Amino acid sequence: MPEPTPPAALPSDPAACPPSCGGPRVRAIPPGEDRERLMCPDCGFIAYQNPLIVVGSVVTWEDGRILLCRRSIEPRRGFWTLPAGYMEERESTAEGAAREAWEEARARIAVGPLLAIYDIPRISQVQLIFHARLLSDDVSAGPESLEVGLFAWDAIPWDELAFPTVHWALREHGDRQGRVDGAPAVNPAPETLARWARGP
Amino acid sequence: MPEPTPPAALPSDPAACPPSCGGPRVRAIPPGEDRERLMCPDCGFIAYQNPLIVVGSVVTWEDGRILLCRRSIEPRRGFWTLPAGYMEERESTAEGAAREAWEEARARIAVGPLLAIYDIPRISQVQLIFHARLLSDDVSAGPESLEVGLFAWDAIPWDELAFPTVHWALREHGDRQGRVDGAPAVNPAPETLARWARGP
């Protein structure tokens, strides 16, 4: 388990390779390791590359309607998504989810327990999707959204959702019927996907 | 929410800044963003820095004893820890936890549900700690361990644990008395820490 105190330079800090070097550009197995890393052959700096965390939430208003954002950016411009994005440094997961709701929908939210944790190893991504309550229904599109809206379950644009995990998280939310305790969902099993495909 | 398909070069890929550049070395706010990033002034490349994921597990043998590893590396050399470490690219969180158990304790494990998710924003780290079952008690020290062992609850070296989150995860495990369902723990509240401090 890694250390709890910050080293002078994080292993992933590109600033640790001085400008006088050509930069990390050679794939080689560093001493004592078991896999190739991107290294600088001039100073030996190792540019570790690690998975990224996406933080987001299924945000509900008092009447149960769900906050969705229509993307103004590629990929999937024009499709609907949850407020979510890459976690930043020096924030907690819940702070990140709240920040994304503000950035994408000018929504003030109270972040609750974890609804789902999705692994997407193909793109080295872990998505942490929380339950959240909307604190005011005064929402509006941020720079990454064309529009935002509150959707009753039957009004969700199922055929215009941006990504599979948006679909999964919404269906998990629906399955739980307002309960926010319990274990978080993980990537759905084939049976679950088949059940969801049969209808709402 | 970010895209589900890999871009040609991930934003964090140092290889995206060509060797002919001086490398990302200037802190500036990129166009359309709201915070400083480390940028290359030659090509405009942005070296995003994001939180790291630690994956690990509380691993139990059939008799309830718990697997701990005594660190052979700094920081906290000589102190006891859970098998855990930085998640690698192109693996799932559970695969990462299993890999770490093998690397640190030559332990083959079956990774179960999430026991805890700990935020450590000070060092931009998110720790995902799973329940896990040991599949064989034939364990031995890997390169990052001086020794490994299976500990009954009363034999856990509480005063020689390497990090606060090791303590938290073990106490959470104890509180749950073998149950692996339910919501994962988060950073303990002051009351919880006070209760734990009063004794086992």
Coordinates of all heavy atoms in Angstrom, one line a residue, chain B residues 146-191:
Chain B
L146 N 8.7 -8.1 3.8 CA 9.7 -8.8 4.6 C 9.2 -10.2 5.0 O 9.9 -11.2 5.0 CB 10.1 -8.1 5.8 CG 10.8 -6.7 5.6 CD1 10.9 -5.9 6.9 CD2 12.2 -7.0 5.1
E147 N 7.9 -10.2 5.3 CA 7.3 -11.5 5.7 C 5.8 -11.3 5.5 O 5.3 -10.1 5.4 CB 7.6 -11.9 7.1 CG 7.2 -10.9 8.2 CD 7.5 -11.3 9.6 OE1 7.2 -12.5 9.9 OE2 7.9 -10.5 10.4
V148 N 5.0 -12.3 5.5 CA 3.6 -12.2 5.4 C 3.0 -13.2 6.4 O 3.7 -14.2 6.8 CB 3.0 -12.5 4.0 CG1 3.5 -11.6 3.0 CG2 3.3 -14.0 3.6
G149 N 1.8 -13.0 6.9 CA 1.2 -13.9 7.9 C -0.3 -13.8 7.9 O -0.9 -12.8 7.4
L150 N -0.9 -14.9 8.5 CA -2.3 -14.9 8.7 C -2.5 -14.6 10.2 O -2.0 -15.3 11.1 CB -2.9 -16.2 8.3 CG -2.8 -16.5 6.8 CD1 -3.1 -18.0 6.5 CD2 -3.8 -15.6 6.1
F151 N -3.3 -13.6 10.5 CA -3.5 -13.2 11.9 C -4.9 -13.3 12.4 O -5.9 -12.8 11.7 CB -3.2 -11.7 12.0 CG -1.7 -11.4 11.8 CD1 -1.1 -11.3 10.5 CD2 -0.8 -11.3 12.9 CE1 0.2 -11.1 10.4 CE2 0.5 -11.0 12.7 CZ 1.0 -10.9 11.5
A152 N -5.1 -14.0 13.5 CA -6.4 -14.0 14.2 C -6.6 -12.6 14.7 O -5.7 -11.8 14.9 CB -6.4 -15.0 15.4
W153 N -7.9 -12.2 14.9 CA -8.2 -10.8 15.3 C -7.4 -10.3 16.4 O -6.8 -9.2 16.4 CB -9.7 -10.7 15.6 CG -10.2 -9.3 15.8 CD1 -10.5 -8.8 17.0 CD2 -10.4 -8.3 14.9 NE1 -10.9 -7.5 16.9 CE2 -10.8 -7.1 15.6 CE3 -10.2 -8.2 13.5 CZ2 -11.1 -5.9 14.9 CZ3 -10.5 -7.0 12.8 CH2 -10.9 -5.9 13.5
D154 N -7.3 -11.1 17.5 CA -6.6 -10.7 18.7 C -5.1 -10.7 18.5 O -4.4 -10.1 19.4 CB -6.9 -11.6 19.9 CG -8.4 -11.5 20.2 OD1 -9.0 -10.4 19.9 OD2 -9.0 -12.4 20.8
A155 N -4.6 -11.2 17.4 CA -3.2 -11.2 17.2 C -2.7 -10.2 16.2 O -1.5 -10.0 15.9 CB -2.7 -12.6 16.6
I156 N -3.7 -9.4 15.7 CA -3.3 -8.3 14.7 C -2.4 -7.3 15.4 O -2.6 -6.9 16.5 CB -4.5 -7.6 14.2 CG1 -5.3 -8.5 13.2 CG2 -4.2 -6.3 13.5 CD1 -6.7 -8.0 12.8
P157 N -1.2 -7.0 14.8 CA -0.3 -6.0 15.4 C -0.8 -4.6 15.3 O -0.2 -3.8 14.5 CB 1.0 -6.3 14.6 CG 0.6 -6.8 13.3 CD -0.7 -7.5 13.5
W158 N -1.8 -4.2 16.1 CA -2.5 -2.9 15.9 C -1.5 -1.8 16.0 O -1.7 -0.7 15.4 CB -3.6 -2.8 17.0 CG -4.7 -3.8 16.8 CD1 -4.9 -4.9 17.5 CD2 -5.7 -3.7 15.8 NE1 -6.0 -5.6 17.0 CE2 -6.5 -4.9 15.9 CE3 -5.9 -2.9 14.7 CZ2 -7.6 -5.2 15.1 CZ3 -7.0 -3.2 13.9 CH2 -7.8 -4.3 14.1
D159 N -0.4 -1.9 16.8 CA 0.5 -0.8 17.0 C 1.6 -0.7 15.9 O 2.4 0.1 16.0 CB 1.1 -0.8 18.4 CG 0.1 -0.7 19.5 OD1 -0.9 0.0 19.2 OD2 0.3 -1.2 20.6
E160 N 1.5 -1.7 15.1 CA 2.6 -1.8 14.0 C 2.0 -1.8 12.6 O 2.5 -2.3 11.7 CB 3.4 -3.0 14.2 CG 4.2 -3.0 15.5 CD 4.8 -4.4 15.8 OE1 5.6 -4.9 14.9 OE2 4.6 -4.9 16.9
L161 N 0.8 -1.1 12.5 CA 0.2 -1.0 11.2 C 0.8 0.2 10.4 O 1.1 1.2 11.0 CB -1.3 -0.9 11.3 CG -2.0 -2.1 11.9 CD1 -3.6 -1.8 12.0 CD2 -1.8 -3.4 11.2
A162 N 0.9 0.0 9.1 CA 1.7 1.0 8.3 C 0.9 2.3 8.2 O 1.5 3.4 8.2 CB 2.0 0.4 7.0
F163 N -0.4 2.3 7.9 CA -1.1 3.5 7.5 C -2.5 3.5 8.2 O -3.1 2.5 8.5 CB -1.3 3.5 6.0 CG 0.0 3.3 5.2 CD1 0.2 2.2 4.4 CD2 1.0 4.3 5.3 CE1 1.4 2.0 3.7 CE2 2.2 4.1 4.6 CZ 2.4 3.0 3.8
P164 N -3.1 4.7 8.4 CA -4.4 4.8 9.0 C -5.4 4.0 8.2 O -6.3 3.4 8.9 CB -4.7 6.3 8.9 CG -3.4 7.0 8.9 CD -2.5 6.0 8.2
T165 N -5.4 4.0 6.9 CA -6.5 3.3 6.2 C -6.4 1.8 6.4 O -7.4 1.1 6.2 CB -6.4 3.6 4.7 OG1 -5.1 3.4 4.2 CG2 -6.8 5.0 4.4
V166 N -5.2 1.2 6.7 CA -5.1 -0.2 7.0 C -5.9 -0.4 8.3 O -6.7 -1.4 8.4 CB -3.6 -0.6 7.2 CG1 -3.5 -2.0 7.7 CG2 -2.9 -0.4 5.9
H167 N -5.7 0.4 9.3 CA -6.4 0.3 10.6 C -7.9 0.4 10.3 O -8.7 -0.4 10.8 CB -6.0 1.5 11.5 CG -6.3 1.3 12.9 ND1 -5.5 0.8 13.9 CD2 -7.5 1.4 13.5 CE1 -6.1 0.8 15.0 NE2 -7.4 1.1 14.8
W168 N -8.3 1.5 9.5 CA -9.8 1.7 9.3 C -10.4 0.4 8.6 O -11.5 0.0 9.0 CB -10.0 2.8 8.3 CG -9.5 4.2 8.8 CD1 -9.0 4.5 10.1 CD2 -9.4 5.4 8.1 NE1 -8.7 5.8 10.1 CE2 -8.9 6.4 8.9 CE3 -9.7 5.7 6.7 CZ2 -8.7 7.7 8.5 CZ3 -9.5 7.0 6.3 CH2 -9.0 8.0 7.2
A169 N -9.7 -0.1 7.6 CA -10.3 -1.2 6.8 C -10.4 -2.5 7.7 O -11.4 -3.2 7.7 CB -9.4 -1.5 5.6
L170 N -9.4 -2.7 8.5 CA -9.4 -3.8 9.5 C -10.6 -3.7 10.5 O -11.3 -4.6 10.7 CB -8.1 -4.0 10.2 CG -7.0 -4.6 9.3 CD1 -5.6 -4.5 10.1 CD2 -7.2 -6.0 8.9
R171 N -10.7 -2.5 11.0 CA -11.8 -2.3 12.0 C -13.2 -2.4 11.3 O -14.1 -2.9 11.9 CB -11.6 -0.9 12.7 CG -10.4 -0.8 13.5 CD -10.2 -1.9 14.6 NE -11.4 -1.9 15.5 CZ -11.3 -1.6 16.8 NH1 -10.2 -1.1 17.3 NH2 -12.4 -1.6 17.6
E172 N -13.3 -1.9 10.1 CA -14.6 -2.1 9.4 C -14.9 -3.5 9.2 O -16.0 -4.0 9.4 CB -14.5 -1.4 8.0 CG -14.6 0.1 8.0 CD -15.9 0.7 8.4 OE1 -16.9 -0.1 8.4 OE2 -16.0 1.9 8.7
H173 N -13.9 -4.3 8.8 CA -14.0 -5.7 8.6 C -14.5 -6.4 9.9 O -15.4 -7.2 10.0 CB -12.7 -6.3 8.2 CG -12.7 -7.8 8.2 ND1 -13.2 -8.6 7.2 CD2 -12.2 -8.7 9.1 CE1 -13.0 -9.9 7.5 NE2 -12.5 -10.0 8.6
G174 N -13.9 -6.0 11.0 CA -14.3 -6.5 12.3 C -15.7 -6.1 12.7 O -16.5 -7.0 13.2
D175 N -16.1 -4.9 12.5 CA -17.4 -4.4 12.8 C -18.5 -5.3 12.0 O -19.6 -5.4 12.5 CB -17.6 -3.0 12.4 CG -17.0 -2.0 13.4 OD1 -16.5 -2.5 14.5 OD2 -17.1 -0.8 13.2
R176 N -18.1 -5.7 10.8 CA -19.1 -6.4 10.0 C -19.3 -7.9 10.3 O -20.2 -8.5 9.7 CB -18.8 -6.2 8.5 CG -19.0 -4.7 8.1 CD -18.4 -4.4 6.7 NE -18.5 -2.9 6.6 CZ -19.2 -2.3 5.6 NH1 -19.7 -3.0 4.6 NH2 -19.2 -1.0 5.5
Q177 N -18.4 -8.4 11.1 CA -18.6 -9.8 11.6 C -18.9 -10.8 10.5 O -19.8 -11.6 10.6 CB -19.7 -9.9 12.7 CG -19.4 -8.9 13.8 CD -20.3 -9.1 15.0 OE1 -21.5 -8.9 14.8 NE2 -19.9 -9.5 16.1
G178 N -18.1 -10.7 9.4 CA -18.2 -11.7 8.4 C -19.2 -11.3 7.2 O -19.2 -12.0 6.2
R179 N -20.0 -10.3 7.5 CA -20.9 -9.9 6.4 C -20.2 -9.2 5.3 O -19.4 -8.2 5.6 CB -22.1 -9.0 6.9 CG -23.0 -9.8 7.8 CD -24.3 -9.0 8.0 NE -25.0 -8.6 6.8 CZ -26.2 -8.1 6.7 NH1 -26.8 -7.9 7.9 NH2 -26.7 -7.8 5.6
V180 N -20.4 -9.5 4.1 CA -19.8 -8.8 3.0 C -20.7 -8.1 2.1 O -20.3 -7.4 1.1 CB -18.9 -9.8 2.1 CG1 -17.9 -10.5 2.9 CG2 -19.8 -10.8 1.4
D181 N -22.0 -8.1 2.4 CA -22.9 -7.3 1.6 C -23.1 -5.9 2.3 O -22.3 -5.6 3.2 CB -24.3 -7.9 1.5 CG -24.9 -8.4 2.8 OD1 -24.2 -8.2 3.9 OD2 -26.0 -8.9 2.9
G182 N -24.0 -5.1 1.8 CA -24.1 -3.8 2.4 C -23.2 -2.7 1.8 O -22.4 -3.0 0.9
A183 N -23.5 -1.5 2.1 CA -22.8 -0.4 1.5 C -21.3 -0.4 2.0 O -21.0 -0.7 3.1 CB -23.5 1.0 1.9
P184 N -20.4 0.0 1.1 CA -19.0 0.1 1.5 C -18.8 1.3 2.5 O -19.6 2.3 2.5 CB -18.3 0.5 0.2 CG -19.3 1.0 -0.7 CD -20.6 0.4 -0.3
A185 N -17.9 1.1 3.4 CA -17.5 2.2 4.3 C -16.9 3.3 3.6 O -16.3 3.1 2.5 CB -16.6 1.6 5.4
V186 N -17.0 4.5 4.2 CA -16.2 5.6 3.7 C -15.3 6.1 4.9 O -15.3 5.5 5.9 CB -17.2 6.8 3.3 CG1 -18.0 6.3 2.1 CG2 -18.1 7.2 4.4
N187 N -14.6 7.2 4.7 CA -13.7 7.7 5.7 C -14.5 7.7 7.0 O -15.5 8.3 7.1 CB -13.2 9.1 5.4 CG -12.3 9.1 4.2 OD1 -12.5 8.4 3.2 ND2 -11.3 9.9 4.2
P188 N -13.9 7.1 8.1 CA -14.7 7.1 9.4 C -15.0 8.4 10.0 O -14.1 9.3 10.0 CB -13.8 6.2 10.3 CG -12.5 6.3 9.7 CD -12.6 6.5 8.2
A189 N -16.2 8.6 10.5 CA -16.5 9.8 11.3 C -15.8 9.8 12.6 O -15.3 8.8 13.1 CB -18.0 9.8 11.5
P190 N -15.6 11.0 13.2 CA -14.9 11.1 14.5 C -15.5 10.2 15.5 O -14.7 9.6 16.3 CB -15.2 12.6 14.9 CG -15.3 13.3 13.6 CD -16.0 12.3 12.7
E191 N -16.8 10.0 15.6 CA -17.4 9.1 16.6 C -16.9 7.7 16.4 O -16.7 6.9 17.3 CB -18.9 9.1 16.5 CG -19.6 10.4 16.4 CD -19.7 10.9 15.0 OE1 -20.6 10.5 14.2 OE2 -18.8 11.8 14.6

